[in-house]
Amino acid sequence: MKQLILSIIILFSFACLSAQNTNRVFKSAVKQGLDLKIEVNDGYYLIRPYSSNIIETTFVPKGDYYKSQSHAVVAKPYGSYFEMTDRGNDVVLKTKGLYVTITKSPFQISYYYKNQFIVSEKEGYVKNDSLETIQFNLTKDEVLYGGGARALGMNRRGNRLQLYNRAHYGYETHSELMNFTMPIVVSSKQYMLHFDNAPIGFLDLDSKSDNTLTYETISGRKTYQVIVGDSWLNLINNYTDLTGKQPMLPRWALGNFSSRFGYHSQKEVETTIATFKDEKIPVDAIILDLYWFGKELKGTMGNLEVFRDSFPDFEGMVKRLNDKGVKTITITEPFILTTSNKWDEAVQNRILAKDAMGNPAKYDFYFGNTGLIDIYNPDGEKWFWNIYKDLANKGVAGVWGDLGEPEVHPDWVMHKTGSANEVHNIYGHDWARLVYEGYERDFPNTRPFILMRAGYSGSQRYGMIPWSGDVNRTWGGLQSQPEIALQMGMQGLAYMHSDLGGFAGANLDDELYVRWLQYGVFNPIFRPHAQEDVPSEPIYRSEHAKALAKQAIELRYKLLPYNYNLVYENSQLGKPLMRPLFFEEPTNKNLFNYSKAYLWGNDILVSPVLEPKITEQEVYFPKDNVWFDFYTDEKIKGGQIKTIELNENSIPTYIRAGAFIPNLSIIQTTDNYDDSMYKIEYYHDASVLSSSQQIYTDDGVSAKTIKNNDYEILKLDMNVKGSTLEFKISNEIGKNFNPKSRRFYLTIHGLEHKPKRIKVGKYSSFDWSESSKTLRIPIERNSSETSVVTVKLKK
């Protein structure tokens, strides 16, 4: 009976879809190791399961050969048995979840998950005059995401997207092409197509309105993976299993950055940080733009060594900053100008990309006449890494890779492994790999900080921190940022963020600046940055703007335990830190194109203020939940749009009922991070009968804390037992972690009356606020015990 139902489903699906290339003739199907090989008249397919949620399909045209190397995939193929059945009219490859049907005539490849149709090839692979294409059928109601970082609206269906990483200076609400293009399509039907190929091309997301998805490329692999999941988070987890999980960032990377284009001297750097300290505004890092290696904007790129006229005691400056808990990060670019100090060295060491004659490729761009480091040449990679190794030995804590699209990359330029167009999109990806592997080799106990302006699918596994490029310093520039970050999180690069306050233009708008920083509190990285004609640092803004910015930065630091746990969850499960609301309601079509509010982690709902001079805005509250106003504790029932009154010192922020939100007292730098005392905010509502939360902690800097079992996971649980709330605090301790006793202050929000009785072990100490209706309970806890708190409510 099940087989009959399955056959009906398959026949119905084909009745609704276009047949594949009618000239393609099925010849044979044979199981070949971990693959199913399908031979056709013009080549053969290799279909390879990686898991019950991921299947890879490759077409090898007749006369071509199988290209096995992937820039993205790190997973190993599915090692266990898969079932292959020839049913006469078709061949079925089946795992425990995903399966593929190959209809023999007319030839057709289709994908199913748990007996539900997912997607099918339309034309499949076709070679045209200038491009090789792979086509798929779409259903008419699918919403499509992906393609990397763009400003197009969340639903990208109807666009033909170029796959060619390119900077867009001064963009605002619309940008079709930016620094991170990605060969990824994500469907509202909760599947993903990843085209596993590096050369440039296009993603056509039904631009002709004929229900067709087309991948187009100039050359390379004819390989794609179909990825599915039982939820949105499960889908992203499966994709990052395939292409690699993001390593944990150092804790200091969650702090406030001082950054501008740029600091011209050692004195300017140290004065800036001293002012942060005087103003008691927390700060954890300062970023040096290109003036650290040259006095002039043009003509010095490629020097990549300290310019001693402006930074006479660079090493001493870095040490003094470190002593204040402030890390130093330096910009680097892959371009070596012919006027730079290192041009002759680069030519002599043969580390530059070449022209057709084998000479160093030279061409002009904004900064001067230049060559490009060939990171695909082992000599080029070694030379470049030695620059970073020297900086790290000077105490520099992080790497900034700019212009890595590369910004100017003529198609006649040749690299060791291929042409410019073949490696262009993965240049930033492999630049990050170069740095990451260098740290693994030479600084194995250090978590690298790798800020990059360009990358590709899978770049997250190299610890890449992407940013959204040279956005305009306008309200339009701000309005596009949530979409960009949410889209990139769905594609594995969960640390996408923006130059807070905006980068391009001399627009001095304190309201815009403050609203952007308030949004940044709930971004993966908090990094104001701008051209120097308008200051990006709060210490140099008006007193009013500075005071509001300080409040935002202090909230960022209070939330460090919550945010650091998001870093942990991302490293283990691929979870984006910023999440679209349709993750909560996968069938709510009204949310498919919505980015004006989002979830920060699982429990914080954020609605950034994206327009000037408004006093209220509408917020959608996801259904099946009660939401607490973070600032007033007002409860709002989910499943509705509500008009919210705005305040200038915050943006609308809400906490999910049943959530535990850990926070700390304000610190001036994460070097002072001390979790011997936790504040735990619990948000009670009668609709929540049980709740749990985990809080990950470690030393915040070591690279292998999880592998070395040098961590602790605090576990918080709440269960309702009649009229009693029972809270438990326990922990999982890695065998090499040195645990500590802690004091907790558990604050319970949402109670209607003062509780009848509190019990904490043998004690009953607590504070009740009648005005705020909150209960505060101190808990002294030894590291190895389970602490139990019972709160008897009045009926």
Side-chain angles (χ1 to χ4, degrees):
M1 185 65 180
K2 283 180 68 177
Q3 192 69 32
L4 176 61
I5 292 171
L6 176 58
S7 298
I8 292 171
I9 291 170
I10 291 171
L11 287 170
F12 177 76
S13 299
F14 284 132
C16 299
L17 299 172
S18 302
Q20 203 159 325
N21 190 333
T22 54
N23 296 321
R24 188 154 291 144
V25 179
F26 174 89
K27 288 190 171 183
S28 65
V30 61
K31 191 173 180 182
Q32 184 175 286
L34 298 176
D35 302 335
L36 176 63
K37 184 176 182 180
I38 306 293
E39 191 169 351
V40 292
N41 61 309
D42 57 345
Y44 64 90
Y45 288 88
L46 289 179
I47 303 178
R48 172 179 298 175
Y50 277 84
S51 72
S52 58
N53 300 97
I54 304 169
I55 288 180
E56 175 180 284
T57 298
T58 298
F59 183 72
V60 182
K62 184 175 286 188
D64 206 345
Y65 65 94
Y66 174 61
K67 300 176 178 69
S68 61
Q69 187 173 5
S70 167
H71 72 276
V73 171
V74 294
K76 300 300 180 185
Y78 200 43
S80 61
Y81 175 79
F82 68 83
E83 180 183 326
M84 180 196 112
T85 306
D86 190 329
R87 302 188 304 189
N89 184 55
D90 60 23
V91 175
V92 178
L93 178 156
K94 197 164 189 179
T95 73
K96 292 179 180 178
L98 262 175
Y99 61 93
V100 189
T101 65
I102 301 96
T103 304
K104 296 178 182 178
S105 181
F107 187 81
Q108 181 90 48
I109 298 178
S110 304
Y111 298 85
Y112 298 81
Y113 183 55
K114 296 181 178 178
N115 293 340
Q116 295 294 316
F117 172 74
I118 300 299
V119 72
S120 65
E121 288 194 4
K122 189 172 188 178
E123 287 290 324
Y125 170 78
V126 175
K127 176 105 169 65
N128 298 314
D129 292 338
S130 59
L131 294 170
E132 297 176 286
T133 67
I134 307 174
Q135 280 193 351
F136 293 83
N137 290 296
L138 295 170
T139 55
K140 63 181 180 180
D141 58 340
E142 283 182 77
V143 173
L144 299 180
Y145 311 99
R150 322 261 179 171
L152 296 169
M154 288 292 285
N155 183 5
R156 294 174 174 182
R157 187 165 181 167
N159 291 283
R160 184 170 182 255
L161 305 177
Q162 188 176 1
L163 296 173
Y164 187 88
N165 291 352
R166 177 176 290 163
H168 182 170
Y169 177 84
Y171 72 91
E172 295 187 357
T173 57
H174 185 86
S175 182
E176 295 183 9
L177 189 61
M178 293 173 62
N179 313 70
F180 287 85
T181 64
M182 306 269 271
I184 295 171
V185 180
V186 187
S187 167
S188 58
K189 289 170 59 179
Q190 225 163 270
Y191 71 85
M192 180 184 294
L193 285 169
H194 171 241
F195 296 96
D196 192 357
N197 189 41
I200 65 173
F202 295 87
L203 272 180
D204 191 324
L205 306 183
D206 196 27
S207 67
K208 297 177 182 177
S209 300
D210 59 355
N211 298 323
T212 304
L213 163 66
T214 309
Y215 170 71
E216 309 168 64
T217 184
I218 59 166
S219 64
R221 306 181 80 211
K222 294 78 178 163
T223 298
Y224 63 87
Q225 292 94 25
V226 178
I227 305 135
V228 296
D230 294 320
S231 68
W232 280 107
L233 292 177
N234 182 235
L235 174 65
I236 298 168
N237 186 32
N238 293 333
Y239 167 71
T240 51
D241 277 347
L242 179 73
T243 59
K245 293 290 195 285
Q246 176 110 19
M248 287 192 70
L249 301 189
R251 186 183 283 114
W252 62 261
L254 297 175
N256 175 36
F257 288 71
S258 179
S259 183
R260 68 157 71 171
F261 178 43
Y263 299 109
H264 291 257
S265 68
Q266 177 179 320
K267 181 180 179 181
E268 191 174 9
V269 168
E270 296 199 80
T271 298
T272 297
I273 294 303
T275 307
F276 269 99
K277 298 297 183 182
D278 291 343
E279 297 281 356
K280 291 186 168 46
I281 297 178
V283 62
D284 258 87
I286 189 164
I287 298 183
L288 307 188
D289 216 310
L290 47 76
Y291 298 111
W292 74 267
F293 57 70
K295 193 174 183 65
E296 303 298 331
L297 177 64
K298 297 183 179 182
T300 60
M301 185 173 290
N303 284 352
L304 296 178
E305 58 188 11
V306 178
F307 183 58
R308 296 291 175 178
D309 284 3
S310 300
F311 295 86
D313 183 23
F314 183 86
E315 294 83 355
M317 177 195 76
V318 171
K319 183 181 184 306
R320 289 187 293 275
L321 293 173
N322 272 326
D323 289 344
K324 295 179 179 181
V326 178
K327 310 298 184 288
T328 303
I329 300 161
T330 49
I331 195 173
T332 52
E333 304 91 355
F335 296 97
I336 311 292
L337 298 188
T338 57
T339 54
S340 74
N341 298 338
K342 284 193 164 31
W343 174 257
D344 290 341
E345 178 185 332
V347 172
Q348 183 178 348
N349 286 280
R350 301 179 181 275
I351 66 159
L352 299 170
K354 308 287 194 247
D355 63 17
M357 303 300 293
N359 299 313
K362 295 189 291 185
Y363 50 88
D364 293 329
F365 80 140
Y366 175 79
F367 293 95
N369 186 249
T370 193
L372 178 66
I373 299 171
D374 187 359
I375 60 173
Y376 297 97
N377 178 344
D379 292 334
E381 178 174 340
K382 182 179 179 181
W383 184 91
F384 210 4
W385 168 246
N386 282 335
I387 298 290
Y388 295 115
K389 185 176 180 180
D390 179 62
L391 287 167
N393 285 329
K394 285 178 166 61
V396 170
V399 169
W400 176 11
D402 198 17
L403 313 184
E405 295 76 27
E407 181 163 292
V408 180
H409 201 193
D411 57 13
W412 52 265
V413 171
M414 294 299 300
H415 293 265
K416 187 80 172 180
T417 58
S419 68
N421 285 345
E422 289 173 315
V423 304
H424 177 84
N425 283 338
I426 56 169
Y427 189 95
H429 171 88
D430 283 314
W431 186 7
R433 175 195 54 77
L434 177 163
V435 176
Y436 181 75
E437 291 178 353
Y439 267 89
E440 276 193 317
R441 184 175 58 249
D442 294 335
F443 306 98
N445 295 320
T446 301
R447 296 183 200 174
F449 178 90
I450 304 172
L451 182 67
M452 288 276 171
R453 202 176 77 171
Y456 216 48
S457 52
S459 292
Q460 72 278 350
R461 71 175 178 270
Y462 299 130
M464 182 183 284
I465 301 171
W467 89 95
S468 60
D470 296 338
V471 59
N472 220 16
R473 200 179 306 175
T474 58
W475 288 95
L478 172 58
Q479 286 160 14
S480 61
Q481 296 312 305
E483 173 202 341
I484 293 168
L486 291 169
Q487 290 267 359
M488 289 290 278
M490 293 171 66
Q491 298 170 74
L493 281 162
Y495 289 94
M496 172 57 80
H497 65 290
S498 63
D499 291 342
L500 299 181
F503 176 79
N507 181 18
L508 182 61
D509 183 335
D510 278 347
E511 184 190 7
L512 170 65
Y513 175 77
V514 167
R515 290 306 195 192
W516 211 318
L517 266 61
Q518 290 169 345
Y519 159 69
V521 171
F522 306 100
N523 276 202
I525 302 294
F526 191 95
R527 188 183 57 83
H529 181 70
Q531 291 173 329
E532 61 188 333
D533 43 8
V534 173
S536 57
E537 309 93 337
I539 55 173
Y540 297 130
R541 302 296 290 236
S542 69
E543 289 299 317
H544 187 61
K546 179 169 63 177
L548 293 173
K550 182 178 181 180
Q551 288 183 45
I553 293 166
E554 288 177 342
L555 177 56
R556 175 77 174 186
Y557 277 76
K558 287 179 183 178
L559 290 173
L560 274 170
Y562 181 89
N563 294 348
Y564 194 61
N565 193 65
L566 299 184
V567 172
Y568 167 71
E569 289 183 343
N570 173 260
S571 73
Q572 299 302 297
L573 300 170
K575 291 183 179 181
L577 287 75
M578 296 171 63
R579 304 169 192 176
L581 293 191
F582 61 77
F583 278 28
E584 286 286 299
E585 299 182 32
T587 60
N588 187 344
K589 295 181 180 180
N590 293 326
L591 297 178
F592 286 170
N593 199 30
Y594 185 76
S595 61
K596 291 185 177 180
Y598 61 91
L599 287 170
W600 176 242
N602 186 68
D603 294 322
I604 301 180
L605 173 66
V606 181
S607 178
V609 177
L610 305 175
E611 298 178 49
K613 296 180 174 55
I614 58 174
T615 58
E616 59 184 28
Q617 68 184 28
E618 290 185 341
V619 178
Y620 178 75
F621 295 87
K623 67 180 183 179
D624 301 328
N625 289 276
V626 172
W627 298 91
F628 282 72
D629 188 305
F630 181 64
Y631 298 99
T632 69
D633 274 358
E634 176 193 358
K635 289 186 183 183
I636 299 173
K637 187 176 180 180
Q640 63 173 316
I641 296 173
K642 207 169 161 56
T643 300
I644 302 300
E645 187 176 331
L646 298 177
N647 299 307
E648 71 167 352
N649 60 345
S650 65
I651 57 176
T653 306
Y654 300 88
I655 310 298
R656 187 194 302 269
F660 292 92
I661 305 294
N663 63 91
L664 296 178
S665 299
I666 297 167
I667 53 178
Q668 294 302 304
T669 166
T670 57
D671 274 11
N672 299 330
Y673 188 89
D674 180 10
D675 61 356
S676 61
M677 191 277 286
Y678 267 117
K679 299 175 184 177
I680 306 291
E681 313 290 324
Y682 178 74
Y683 291 82
H684 168 71
D685 185 76
S687 63
V688 180
L689 301 180
S690 64
S691 182
S692 62
Q693 175 64 286
Q694 295 186 342
I695 306 170
Y696 175 88
T697 189
D698 58 20
D699 67 10
V701 293
S702 300
K704 299 177 182 177
T705 52
I706 297 173
K707 182 178 180 181
N708 293 339
N709 284 297
D710 189 12
Y711 64 88
E712 179 181 16
I713 298 176
L714 293 168
K715 298 181 178 181
L716 308 171
D717 294 281
M718 188 286 303
N719 287 283
V720 176
K721 297 184 176 181
S723 59
T724 298
L725 309 181
E726 182 184 82
F727 294 87
K728 289 184 179 179
I729 303 176
S730 59
N731 57 355
E732 174 191 323
I733 302 172
K735 64 182 180 181
N736 294 317
F737 186 80
N738 184 23
K740 63 182 78 172
S741 297
R742 287 188 174 87
R743 166 168 283 202
F744 290 84
Y745 288 97
L746 175 63
T747 299
I748 303 174
H749 302 253
L751 299 176
E752 295 181 8
H753 306 287
K754 182 179 179 180
K756 189 174 181 180
R757 185 170 59 252
I758 308 293
K759 189 175 181 182
V760 187
K762 300 177 182 179
Y763 306 100
S764 59
S765 174
F766 67 92
D767 295 317
W768 169 255
S769 171
E770 185 64 34
S771 60
S772 64
K773 302 293 185 184
T774 55
L775 177 69
R776 185 171 181 264
I777 307 168
I779 307 165
E780 299 286 348
R781 182 180 177 276
N782 294 324
S783 61
S784 59
E785 69 182 13
T786 296
S787 299
V788 179
V789 179
T790 56
V791 179
K792 180 71 171 177
L793 303 178
K794 290 183 179 179
K795 293 184 179 180

